[in-house]
Coordinates of all heavy atoms in Angstrom, one line a residue:
M1 N 0.9 -1.2 0.0 CA 0.0 0.0 0.0 C 0.8 1.3 0.0 O 1.9 1.3 0.7 CB -0.8 0.0 1.2 CG -1.9 1.1 1.3 SD -3.1 0.9 2.7 CE -2.8 -0.5 3.6
F2 N 0.6 2.2 -0.9 CA 1.4 3.4 -0.9 C 0.5 4.5 -1.4 O -0.5 4.3 -1.9 CB 2.6 3.2 -1.8 CG 2.2 2.8 -3.2 CD1 2.0 3.7 -4.2 CD2 2.1 1.5 -3.6 CE1 1.7 3.5 -5.5 CE2 1.8 1.1 -4.9 CZ 1.7 2.1 -5.9
L3 N 1.0 5.7 -1.2 CA 0.4 7.0 -1.5 C 0.8 7.3 -3.0 O 1.9 7.1 -3.5 CB 0.9 8.1 -0.7 CG 0.3 8.2 0.7 CD1 0.8 9.4 1.5 CD2 -1.3 8.4 0.7
A4 N -0.2 8.0 -3.8 CA 0.2 8.3 -5.1 C -0.8 9.4 -5.5 O -1.8 9.8 -4.9 CB -0.2 7.2 -6.1
R5 N -0.3 10.3 -6.5 CA -1.1 11.4 -7.0 C -1.6 10.9 -8.3 O -0.9 10.4 -9.1 CB -0.2 12.7 -7.1 CG -0.9 13.8 -7.7 CD -0.8 15.1 -7.0 NE -0.2 15.2 -5.7 CZ -0.9 15.5 -4.5 NH1 -2.3 15.6 -4.5 NH2 -0.3 15.7 -3.4
V6 N -2.9 11.2 -8.6 CA -3.5 10.9 -9.9 C -3.1 11.9 -10.9 O -3.2 13.2 -10.7 CB -5.0 10.8 -9.7 CG1 -5.7 10.5 -11.2 CG2 -5.5 9.7 -8.8
L7 N -2.5 11.4 -12.0 CA -2.1 12.4 -13.1 C -3.0 12.5 -14.2 O -3.2 13.6 -14.9 CB -0.7 11.7 -13.7 CG 0.5 11.6 -12.7 CD1 1.6 11.0 -13.5 CD2 0.8 12.9 -12.1
G8 N -3.8 11.4 -14.4 CA -5.0 11.6 -15.3 C -5.6 10.2 -15.7 O -5.1 9.2 -15.2
N9 N -6.6 10.3 -16.6 CA -7.2 9.0 -17.1 C -6.4 8.4 -18.2 O -5.8 9.1 -19.0 CB -8.7 9.4 -17.6 CG -9.5 9.8 -16.5 OD1 -9.4 9.4 -15.4 ND2 -10.5 10.5 -16.8
V10 N -6.6 7.0 -18.5 CA -6.0 6.3 -19.6 C -7.2 5.9 -20.3 O -8.2 5.3 -19.8 CB -5.0 5.3 -19.2 CG1 -4.7 4.5 -20.3 CG2 -3.9 5.8 -18.4
V11 N -7.3 6.1 -21.6 CA -8.4 5.7 -22.5 C -8.0 4.4 -23.1 O -7.0 4.1 -23.7 CB -8.7 6.7 -23.6 CG1 -9.9 6.2 -24.6 CG2 -9.1 8.0 -22.9
A12 N -8.9 3.4 -22.9 CA -8.7 2.1 -23.4 C -9.9 1.7 -24.3 O -11.0 1.7 -23.8 CB -8.6 1.1 -22.3
T13 N -9.6 1.4 -25.6 CA -10.8 1.0 -26.4 C -11.4 -0.3 -26.1 O -12.5 -0.6 -26.4 CB -10.3 1.2 -27.9 OG1 -9.2 0.3 -28.2 CG2 -10.0 2.5 -28.4
Q14 N -10.5 -1.2 -25.6 CA -10.9 -2.5 -25.2 C -10.2 -2.8 -23.8 O -9.1 -2.5 -23.7 CB -10.5 -3.5 -26.2 CG -11.2 -3.4 -27.6 CD -10.7 -4.5 -28.4 OE1 -9.8 -5.4 -28.2 NE2 -11.3 -4.6 -29.7
K15 N -11.0 -3.5 -23.0 CA -10.3 -4.0 -21.8 C -11.1 -5.2 -21.3 O -12.3 -5.5 -21.8 CB -10.4 -2.9 -20.6 CG -11.7 -2.3 -20.2 CD -11.4 -1.3 -19.2 CE -12.7 -0.5 -18.8 NZ -12.4 0.6 -17.9
N16 N -10.5 -6.0 -20.5 CA -11.0 -7.2 -20.0 C -12.5 -7.0 -19.3 O -12.6 -6.0 -18.6 CB -10.0 -7.9 -19.0 CG -10.4 -9.3 -18.5 OD1 -11.5 -9.6 -18.1 ND2 -9.4 -10.1 -18.8
Q17 N -13.4 -7.8 -19.6 CA -14.7 -7.9 -18.9 C -14.7 -7.7 -17.4 O -15.5 -6.9 -16.9 CB -15.5 -9.1 -19.3 CG -15.8 -9.2 -20.8 CD -16.6 -10.5 -20.9 OE1 -17.4 -10.9 -20.1 NE2 -16.2 -11.2 -22.2
R18 N -13.7 -8.2 -16.8 CA -13.7 -8.1 -15.3 C -13.4 -6.8 -14.8 O -13.6 -6.4 -13.7 CB -12.8 -9.2 -14.7 CG -11.2 -8.7 -14.8 CD -10.3 -9.7 -14.3 NE -10.6 -10.3 -13.0 CZ -9.9 -11.2 -12.6 NH1 -9.0 -11.9 -13.3 NH2 -10.2 -11.9 -11.4
Y19 N -13.0 -5.8 -15.7 CA -12.7 -4.4 -15.3 C -13.8 -3.5 -15.7 O -13.6 -2.2 -15.6 CB -11.3 -4.0 -15.8 CG -10.3 -5.0 -15.4 CD1 -9.4 -5.5 -16.2 CD2 -10.0 -5.1 -14.0 CE1 -8.3 -6.3 -15.9 CE2 -8.9 -6.0 -13.6 CZ -8.2 -6.5 -14.5 OH -7.2 -7.3 -14.1
D20 N -14.9 -4.1 -16.2 CA -16.1 -3.2 -16.6 C -16.5 -2.4 -15.3 O -16.5 -2.9 -14.1 CB -17.3 -4.0 -17.0 CG -17.1 -4.4 -18.4 OD1 -16.2 -3.9 -19.1 OD2 -17.8 -5.3 -18.9
G21 N -16.8 -1.1 -15.4 CA -17.2 -0.3 -14.2 C -16.0 0.4 -13.5 O -16.2 1.1 -12.6
T22 N -14.8 0.1 -14.0 CA -13.7 0.7 -13.4 C -13.0 1.6 -14.4 O -13.2 1.5 -15.7 CB -12.5 -0.2 -12.9 OG1 -12.2 -1.0 -14.0 CG2 -13.2 -1.2 -11.8
R23 N -12.2 2.6 -14.0 CA -11.4 3.5 -14.9 C -10.0 3.2 -14.7 O -9.6 2.8 -13.6 CB -11.7 5.0 -14.6 CG -13.2 5.4 -14.9 CD -13.2 6.8 -14.7 NE -13.0 7.4 -13.4 CZ -12.7 8.5 -13.1 NH1 -12.7 9.5 -14.0 NH2 -12.5 8.8 -11.8
I24 N -9.2 3.3 -15.8 CA -7.7 3.1 -15.5 C -7.1 4.6 -15.4 O -7.3 5.5 -16.2 CB -7.1 2.5 -16.9 CG1 -7.9 1.2 -17.1 CG2 -5.6 2.3 -16.8 CD1 -7.5 0.5 -18.4
M25 N -6.3 4.8 -14.4 CA -5.7 6.0 -14.1 C -4.1 5.9 -14.1 O -3.5 4.9 -13.8 CB -6.1 6.4 -12.6 CG -7.6 6.4 -12.3 SD -8.5 7.5 -13.3 CE -8.2 9.0 -12.4
L26 N -3.5 7.0 -14.5 CA -2.2 7.0 -14.4 C -1.7 7.7 -13.0 O -2.3 8.8 -12.7 CB -1.5 8.0 -15.6 CG -0.1 8.1 -15.7 CD1 0.6 6.7 -15.9 CD2 0.3 9.0 -16.7
V27 N -0.9 7.1 -12.3 CA -0.6 7.6 -11.0 C 1.0 7.7 -10.8 O 1.6 7.0 -11.4 CB -1.2 6.8 -9.7 CG1 -2.7 6.8 -9.9 CG2 -0.7 5.4 -9.8
Q28 N 1.2 8.7 -9.9 CA 2.7 8.8 -9.6 C 2.8 8.6 -8.0 O 2.2 9.4 -7.2 CB 3.2 10.3 -9.9 CG 4.5 10.6 -9.3 CD 5.6 9.9 -10.1 OE1 5.7 10.0 -11.3 NE2 6.4 9.1 -9.3
P29 N 3.5 7.7 -7.8 CA 3.9 7.3 -6.3 C 4.5 8.6 -5.6 O 5.3 9.2 -6.4 CB 4.8 6.1 -6.2 CG 4.4 5.4 -7.4 CD 4.2 6.4 -8.5
V30 N 4.1 8.9 -4.4 CA 4.7 10.1 -3.7 C 5.2 9.6 -2.4 O 4.7 8.6 -1.7 CB 3.7 11.2 -3.6 CG1 3.3 11.8 -5.0 CG2 2.5 10.8 -2.9
N31 N 6.1 10.4 -1.7 CA 6.5 10.3 -0.3 C 5.5 11.0 0.5 O 4.7 11.8 -0.1 CB 7.9 11.0 -0.2 CG 9.0 10.2 -1.0 OD1 9.1 9.1 -0.9 ND2 9.7 11.1 -1.7
P32 N 5.6 10.7 1.8 CA 4.6 11.4 2.8 C 4.6 12.9 2.6 O 3.6 13.5 2.8 CB 5.0 11.0 4.1 CG 5.7 9.7 3.8 CD 6.3 9.8 2.6
D33 N 5.7 13.6 2.3 CA 5.8 15.0 2.0 C 5.2 15.5 0.8 O 5.1 16.6 0.4 CB 7.2 15.5 2.3 CG 8.1 15.1 1.2 OD1 7.8 14.3 0.2 OD2 9.3 15.5 1.3
G34 N 4.8 14.5 -0.2 CA 4.2 14.9 -1.5 C 5.1 14.8 -2.6 O 4.7 15.1 -3.8
S35 N 6.5 14.7 -2.3 CA 7.5 14.6 -3.4 C 7.4 13.4 -4.2 O 7.2 12.2 -3.5 CB 8.8 14.9 -2.9 OG 9.2 13.9 -2.0
P36 N 7.6 13.4 -5.5 CA 7.5 12.2 -6.3 C 8.6 11.1 -6.0 O 9.6 11.5 -5.6 CB 7.6 12.7 -7.8 CG 7.8 14.1 -7.7 CD 7.9 14.6 -6.2
R37 N 8.2 9.9 -6.1 CA 9.2 8.8 -5.9 C 8.8 7.6 -6.9 O 7.7 7.5 -7.2 CB 9.2 8.3 -4.5 CG 8.1 7.5 -4.1 CD 8.3 6.9 -2.8 NE 7.1 6.3 -2.2 CZ 6.9 4.9 -2.5 NH1 7.7 4.2 -3.2 NH2 5.7 4.5 -2.1
G38 N 9.9 7.1 -7.4 CA 9.6 5.9 -8.3 C 9.1 6.3 -9.6 O 9.2 7.4 -10.1
V39 N 8.5 5.2 -10.4 CA 8.0 5.4 -11.6 C 6.5 5.6 -11.8 O 5.8 5.1 -10.9 CB 8.4 4.3 -12.7 CG1 10.0 4.3 -12.8 CG2 8.0 3.0 -12.1
Q40 N 6.0 6.2 -12.7 CA 4.6 6.2 -12.9 C 4.0 4.9 -13.2 O 4.6 4.1 -13.8 CB 4.1 7.3 -14.0 CG 4.7 8.6 -13.7 CD 4.4 9.6 -14.9 OE1 4.1 9.1 -16.0 NE2 4.8 10.9 -14.7
M41 N 2.7 4.7 -12.8 CA 2.1 3.4 -13.0 C 0.7 3.5 -13.3 O 0.0 4.5 -13.1 CB 2.4 2.4 -12.0 CG 1.9 2.9 -10.6 SD 2.4 1.7 -9.2 CE 4.2 1.8 -9.3
L42 N 0.0 2.4 -13.8 CA -1.4 2.4 -14.0 C -2.1 1.8 -12.8 O -1.6 1.0 -12.1 CB -1.7 1.5 -15.2 CG -1.2 1.9 -16.5 CD1 -1.5 1.1 -17.6 CD2 -1.7 3.4 -16.9
A43 N -3.3 2.3 -12.5 CA -4.1 1.8 -11.3 C -5.6 1.8 -11.8 O -6.0 2.6 -12.6 CB -3.9 2.7 -10.1
L44 N -6.3 0.8 -11.3 CA -7.7 0.8 -11.5 C -8.6 1.6 -10.4 O -8.1 1.5 -9.2 CB -8.2 -0.6 -11.5 CG -7.7 -1.5 -12.6 CD1 -8.2 -2.9 -12.4 CD2 -8.2 -1.0 -13.9
D45 N -9.4 2.4 -10.9 CA -10.2 3.3 -10.0 C -11.6 2.9 -10.0 O -12.2 2.8 -11.0 CB -10.1 4.7 -10.5 CG -11.0 5.8 -9.7 OD1 -11.1 5.6 -8.5 OD2 -11.7 6.7 -10.4
S46 N -12.1 2.7 -8.7 CA -13.5 2.4 -8.6 C -14.2 3.3 -7.6 O -15.4 3.1 -7.2 CB -13.6 0.9 -8.0 OG -13.0 0.8 -6.8
V47 N -13.6 4.5 -7.3 CA -14.1 5.2 -6.3 C -14.3 6.7 -6.8 O -14.3 7.8 -6.1 CB -13.3 5.2 -4.9 CG1 -13.6 3.9 -4.3 CG2 -12.0 5.6 -5.1
D48 N -14.1 7.0 -8.2 CA -14.2 8.2 -8.8 C -13.1 9.2 -8.4 O -13.4 10.4 -8.1 CB -15.5 8.9 -8.5 CG -16.6 8.3 -9.4 OD1 -16.3 7.8 -10.5 OD2 -17.8 8.4 -9.0
S49 N -11.8 8.7 -8.3 CA -10.7 9.8 -8.1 C -10.6 10.6 -9.4 O -11.0 10.3 -10.6 CB -9.5 8.9 -8.0 OG -9.6 8.1 -6.9
G50 N -10.0 11.8 -9.2 CA -9.8 12.8 -10.3 C -8.4 13.2 -10.4 O -7.6 13.0 -9.4
E51 N -8.0 13.9 -11.5 CA -6.7 14.4 -11.6 C -6.3 15.3 -10.5 O -7.0 16.1 -10.0 CB -6.6 15.3 -13.0 CG -5.3 15.6 -13.3 CD -5.3 16.3 -14.7 OE1 -6.0 16.0 -15.5 OE2 -4.2 17.0 -14.9
G52 N -5.1 15.1 -9.8 CA -4.5 15.8 -8.7 C -4.9 15.2 -7.4 O -4.3 15.7 -6.5
D53 N -5.8 14.3 -7.3 CA -6.2 13.7 -6.0 C -5.0 12.8 -5.4 O -4.3 12.2 -6.2 CB -7.5 12.8 -6.1 CG -8.8 13.6 -6.4 OD1 -8.7 14.7 -6.2 OD2 -9.7 12.8 -6.7
L54 N -4.9 12.9 -4.2 CA -3.9 12.0 -3.5 C -4.6 10.7 -3.1 O -5.8 10.9 -2.4 CB -3.5 12.6 -2.3 CG -2.3 12.0 -1.5 CD1 -1.1 12.0 -2.4 CD2 -2.0 12.9 -0.2
V55 N -4.2 9.6 -3.5 CA -4.9 8.3 -3.3 C -4.0 7.3 -2.6 O -2.8 7.5 -2.7 CB -5.4 7.8 -4.6 CG1 -6.5 8.6 -5.2 CG2 -4.3 7.4 -5.6
I56 N -4.6 6.3 -2.1 CA -4.0 5.1 -1.7 C -4.1 4.0 -2.6 O -5.2 3.7 -3.0 CB -4.5 4.6 -0.2 CG1 -4.3 5.7 0.8 CG2 -3.9 3.3 0.2 CD1 -4.9 5.4 2.2
V57 N -3.0 3.5 -3.0 CA -2.9 2.5 -4.0 C -2.6 1.2 -3.3 O -1.6 1.1 -2.6 CB -1.9 2.7 -5.2 CG1 -1.8 1.5 -6.3 CG2 -2.2 4.0 -5.9
V58 N -3.3 0.1 -3.5 CA -3.0 -1.2 -2.9 C -2.7 -2.1 -4.1 O -3.3 -2.2 -5.1 CB -4.3 -1.8 -2.2 CG1 -4.1 -3.0 -1.6 CG2 -4.7 -0.6 -1.2
Q59 N -1.7 -2.9 -3.9 CA -1.1 -3.8 -4.9 C -1.7 -5.2 -4.9 O -1.2 -6.1 -5.8 CB 0.3 -3.9 -4.9 CG 1.1 -2.4 -5.1 CD 2.4 -2.5 -5.1 OE1 3.1 -2.8 -4.0 NE2 3.1 -2.3 -6.1
E60 N -2.7 -5.5 -4.1 CA -3.3 -6.7 -4.0 C -4.8 -6.6 -4.2 O -5.3 -5.7 -3.8 CB -2.9 -7.7 -2.9 CG -3.1 -7.1 -1.6 CD -4.6 -7.3 -1.0 OE1 -5.3 -8.2 -1.4 OE2 -4.8 -6.5 -0.2
G61 N -5.6 -7.6 -4.8 CA -6.9 -7.4 -5.2 C -7.9 -7.5 -4.0 O -9.0 -7.0 -4.2
W62 N -7.7 -8.2 -3.1 CA -8.7 -8.4 -2.1 C -9.0 -7.3 -1.2 O -10.1 -7.1 -0.6 CB -8.1 -9.6 -1.2 CG -8.1 -10.8 -1.8 CD1 -7.1 -11.6 -2.3 CD2 -9.2 -11.7 -2.2 NE1 -7.4 -12.7 -2.8 CE2 -8.8 -12.8 -2.8 CE3 -10.7 -11.6 -2.0 CZ2 -9.6 -13.7 -3.4 CZ3 -11.5 -12.5 -2.6 CH2 -11.0 -13.6 -3.2
S63 N -8.3 -6.3 -1.2 CA -8.5 -5.0 -0.3 C -9.6 -4.2 -0.8 O -10.3 -3.4 -0.3 CB -7.3 -4.2 -0.2 OG -6.9 -3.8 -1.5
A64 N -10.0 -4.3 -2.2 CA -11.0 -3.6 -2.8 C -12.3 -3.9 -2.1 O -13.3 -3.2 -2.0 CB -11.0 -3.7 -4.3

């Protein structure tokens, strides 16, 4: 689990059926002080996050 800042949406013309109802977001992991760390990554959003939001990203599926 880590903090990340949402950079924006990713548009996918096709995606797996199991991801229907979710959005794909581009996120930048951040340190507790808000400074960027690591590489940008994709995350699935099911709670209507928006660009600029600070979110918690969980890397295993059962937490959702």
Side-chain angles (χ1 to χ4, degrees):
M1 185 172 1
F2 58 91
L3 288 174
R5 178 130 351 248
V6 176
L7 301 176
N9 293 330
V10 175
V11 178
T13 56
Q14 295 182 357
K15 60 182 170 182
N16 190 306
Q17 295 176 34
R18 79 188 307 173
Y19 302 125
D20 283 344
T22 62
R23 293 185 305 158
I24 303 171
M25 308 295 280
L26 182 64
V27 298
Q28 171 67 58
V30 295
N31 292 313
D33 66 359
S35 62
R37 71 174 176 87
V39 296
Q40 298 171 357
M41 60 185 63
L42 299 177
L44 294 175
D45 174 38
S46 59
V47 294
D48 283 337
S49 301
E51 186 175 337
D53 287 348
L54 188 62
V55 297
I56 296 175
V57 177
V58 182
Q59 293 177 300
E60 53 87 18
W62 290 105
S63 59

